[in-house]
Short mmCIF file of all heavy atoms in Angstrom, two decimals:
data_model
loop_
_atom_site.label_atom_id
_atom_site.label_comp_id
_atom_site.label_asym_id
_atom_site.label_seq_id
_atom_site.Cartn_x
_atom_site.Cartn_y
_atom_site.Cartn_z
N GLN A 303 -5.26 -3.49 4.85
CA GLN A 303 -5.76 -3.89 6.17
C GLN A 303 -6.77 -2.87 6.70
O GLN A 303 -7.78 -3.25 7.31
CB GLN A 303 -4.59 -4.04 7.15
CG GLN A 303 -5.00 -4.68 8.48
CD GLN A 303 -5.63 -6.05 8.30
OE1 GLN A 303 -5.06 -6.94 7.67
NE2 GLN A 303 -6.83 -6.23 8.83
N ILE A 316 -21.26 -0.18 12.77
CA ILE A 316 -20.58 1.02 13.29
C ILE A 316 -20.76 2.16 12.28
O ILE A 316 -20.71 1.96 11.07
CB ILE A 316 -19.09 0.71 13.55
CG1 ILE A 316 -18.97 -0.34 14.67
CG2 ILE A 316 -18.31 1.96 13.90
CD1 ILE A 316 -17.58 -0.87 14.90
N LYS A 324 -11.74 5.93 13.93
CA LYS A 324 -10.93 4.80 14.42
C LYS A 324 -9.71 4.58 13.53
O LYS A 324 -8.59 4.38 14.02
CB LYS A 324 -11.79 3.53 14.44
CG LYS A 324 -11.10 2.31 15.00
CD LYS A 324 -10.90 2.41 16.50
CE LYS A 324 -10.43 1.10 17.11
NZ LYS A 324 -10.13 1.24 18.55
N LYS A 364 22.26 -2.03 -1.50
CA LYS A 364 20.83 -2.33 -1.45
C LYS A 364 20.23 -1.41 -0.39
O LYS A 364 20.33 -1.69 0.81
CB LYS A 364 20.58 -3.79 -1.05
CG LYS A 364 21.26 -4.82 -1.93
CD LYS A 364 20.54 -4.99 -3.24
CE LYS A 364 21.17 -6.12 -4.05
NZ LYS A 364 20.74 -6.10 -5.45
N GLU A 425 10.00 -16.95 0.00
CA GLU A 425 11.12 -17.40 0.86
C GLU A 425 11.21 -16.52 2.10
O GLU A 425 11.42 -17.01 3.22
CB GLU A 425 12.42 -17.32 0.06
CG GLU A 425 13.64 -17.81 0.85
CD GLU A 425 14.96 -17.53 0.15
OE1 GLU A 425 14.96 -17.42 -1.09
OE2 GLU A 425 15.97 -17.41 0.86
N GLY A 438 0.31 -15.61 13.06
CA GLY A 438 -0.69 -16.18 12.14
C GLY A 438 -0.15 -16.20 10.72
O GLY A 438 1.05 -15.97 10.48
N ILE A 453 10.34 2.52 -7.84
CA ILE A 453 11.44 1.74 -7.26
C ILE A 453 11.86 0.55 -8.11
O ILE A 453 12.90 -0.05 -7.86
CB ILE A 453 11.09 1.26 -5.83
CG1 ILE A 453 9.88 0.33 -5.86
CG2 ILE A 453 10.86 2.43 -4.90
CD1 ILE A 453 9.53 -0.22 -4.51
#
Side-chain angles (χ1 to χ4, degrees):
Q303 190 58 54
I316 295 172
K324 184 71 170 176
K364 304 284 185 194
E425 182 189 335
I453 62 177

